[in-house]
């Protein structure tokens, strides 16, 4: 198999997955929002999700708690999700 055919197959797969994610992304986001609601159903404070767009980059973040207190900045990588910080967001000592 030539390199050209291999690259073409990889690009076709990438485009297919990109188009597929475009249609299914709203369903995944809705499911994640339901997960957040279920996780914090008994808690008085709920995390709020925000998005900042700088040039072509998107930065997603969530905040919770009293805005007049010091900030805790928790950063996660591409292999994770901010849902890993749910327990921290429920910690009354941190809030």
């Amino acid at each position: 198999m030539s390199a050209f055919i291999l690259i073409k197959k990889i690009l076709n797969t990438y485009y297919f997955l990109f188009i597929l994610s475009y249609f299914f992304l709203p369903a995944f986001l809705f499911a994640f929002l339901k997960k957040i609601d279920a996780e914090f159903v008994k808690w008085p404070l709920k995390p709020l999700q925000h998005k900042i767009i700088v040039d072509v980059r998107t930065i997603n973040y969530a905040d919770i708690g009293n805005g007049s207190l010091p900030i805790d900045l928790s950063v996660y990588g591409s292999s994770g999700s901010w849902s890993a910080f749910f327990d921290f967001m429920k910690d009354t000592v941190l809030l």
Side-chain angles (χ1 to χ4, degrees):
M1 181 181 303
S2 73
F4 177 75
I5 293 173
L6 180 62
I7 291 171
K8 186 176 178 181
K9 284 186 176 188
I10 291 170
L11 288 175
N12 285 338
T13 303
Y14 171 78
Y15 292 134
F16 173 74
L17 292 174
F18 176 78
I19 291 169
L20 192 64
S21 70
Y22 180 79
F23 290 107
F24 288 104
L25 184 61
F28 292 131
L29 290 176
F30 180 73
F32 187 67
L33 291 175
K34 286 180 70 173
K35 179 181 177 182
I36 294 169
D37 290 342
E39 187 72 27
F40 289 89
V41 71
K42 295 181 180 178
W43 294 91
L45 296 174
K46 313 255 184 288
L48 300 173
Q49 295 184 76
H50 306 279
K51 181 187 297 189
I52 299 173
I53 300 174
V54 179
D55 294 330
V56 295
R57 304 272 184 207
T58 302
I59 300 170
N60 297 297
Y61 70 96
D63 70 72
I64 190 169
N66 186 341
S68 66
L69 295 175
I71 295 174
D72 169 44
L73 178 64
S74 302
V75 180
Y76 67 88
S78 62
S79 62
S81 169
W82 71 266
S83 64
F85 297 104
F86 281 174
D87 290 335
F88 293 110
M89 292 182 169
K90 293 178 182 177
D91 191 331
T92 56
V93 174
L94 294 175
L95 296 176

